[in-house]
Amino acid sequence: MTKNIASYLVLALLAVIMLSVSFSSKDSIVDLSKYSTKGLELVYTVSLDDDIKDDVLVSNDENDVFSPYLGKSFVGFREAVGFKESRGDYATVNTFGYLGKYQFGAETLKMIGINNPQQFLKNPKLQEKAFIANAARNKWILRRDIKNFVGRRINGVLVTESGILAAAHLAGPGSVKTYLRSYGLDNFADGFGTTVQYYMKRFSGYDTSFVKPNKLAKAI
């Protein structure tokens, strides 16, 4: 009789544990905006130009190093751009006055609904929202060019959607349109000499399907 009671108690305990695990997994929600590489020394997806393979959209090379294991996902794209722009520093302002982890200009911030640069610098979550809003706006502006040029090569560089969006972040969508429609003859460079073509190549092949085209995208 005692053995039977003990068996029932063990079975009841196992059932409670299984139900608890099941409910907790259903209720968990991952907030991607909380993930950042700030403060980490990274060996990242964006290596020197010589190491980039133009003909590979998604790398399957076991020797490629991704940290923190984001690969070619959208979060990988976002963090790679942030790392290139500022090494992931939300509070930085460069010599040209560009702000935060993604080095936004004040005029671009206004277009996505942000009018207080100092508040923007102190708000990492807002900076992440700004990156997505700006990418959505740029994707809408460049939607026809994405359709017409993705998969082609310009000056030997394979055109991908992520490369286009990264270049638009650097130079603005107008400069990217000009680059694509001139087939690389008009290659805008920023104040540090970084070109549209360089970003096209460096950020090639990420999955940016998460970003939906939105003409009126706002961060606030």
Side-chain angles (χ1 to χ4, degrees):
M1 182 69 174
T2 303
K3 289 183 179 179
N4 288 338
I5 293 173
S7 298
Y8 288 134
L9 287 174
V10 170
L11 289 172
L13 180 61
L14 286 173
V16 169
I17 292 172
M18 291 176 69
L19 285 170
S20 176
V21 170
S22 175
F23 283 121
S24 64
S25 64
K26 289 179 181 179
D27 293 338
S28 60
I29 299 173
V30 178
D31 183 359
L32 295 180
S33 69
K34 294 181 180 179
Y35 288 84
S36 173
T37 56
K38 183 180 180 182
L40 297 178
E41 288 296 326
L42 303 180
V43 179
Y44 219 84
T45 54
V46 283
S47 55
L48 297 175
D49 272 0
D50 291 342
D51 297 328
I52 298 174
K53 299 175 182 178
D54 296 332
D55 57 347
V56 178
L57 282 180
V58 178
S59 176
N60 294 313
D61 187 348
E62 63 182 6
N63 296 318
D64 284 349
V65 179
F66 304 110
S67 179
Y69 304 107
L70 298 174
K72 292 287 187 175
S73 67
F74 174 72
V75 179
F77 171 72
R78 189 188 70 186
E79 292 301 320
V81 173
F83 184 74
K84 174 64 178 69
E85 292 287 342
S86 70
R87 295 186 67 84
D89 186 352
Y90 288 107
T92 191
V93 180
N94 77 4
T95 54
F96 296 101
Y98 289 89
L99 307 162
K101 176 179 175 180
Y102 301 105
Q103 294 291 278
F104 277 101
E107 292 305 312
T108 300
L109 290 177
K110 287 179 182 178
M111 285 190 289
I112 55 175
I114 299 170
N115 297 301
N116 189 329
Q118 293 308 311
Q119 183 184 36
F120 173 77
L121 276 177
K122 297 175 183 177
N123 192 334
K125 190 170 185 179
L126 181 58
Q127 292 190 35
E128 299 298 343
K129 288 182 177 180
F131 179 78
I132 294 172
N134 188 54
R137 180 178 172 276
N138 287 339
K139 192 168 182 177
W140 186 86
I141 294 170
L142 292 163
R143 63 197 185 281
R144 292 190 181 91
D145 297 276
I146 290 170
K147 180 179 179 181
N148 293 333
F149 287 97
V150 165
R152 297 189 184 189
R153 287 183 181 272
I154 296 179
N155 292 335
V157 176
L158 181 66
V159 179
T160 67
E161 182 179 284
S162 62
I164 288 174
L165 293 181
H169 182 84
L170 170 78
S175 295
V176 175
K177 276 188 179 185
T178 301
Y179 172 82
L180 292 171
R181 296 178 188 186
S182 70
Y183 287 89
L185 293 176
D186 195 330
N187 187 18
F188 171 90
D190 71 0
F192 294 107
T194 306
T195 64
V196 166
Q197 180 174 307
Y198 178 78
Y199 262 46
M200 285 271 192
K201 186 174 185 179
R202 188 158 191 170
F203 297 100
S204 174
Y206 287 86
D207 180 2
T208 51
S209 59
F210 173 84
V211 179
K212 305 304 178 187
N214 185 352
K215 180 182 181 181
L216 303 176
K218 303 290 181 184
I220 296 178

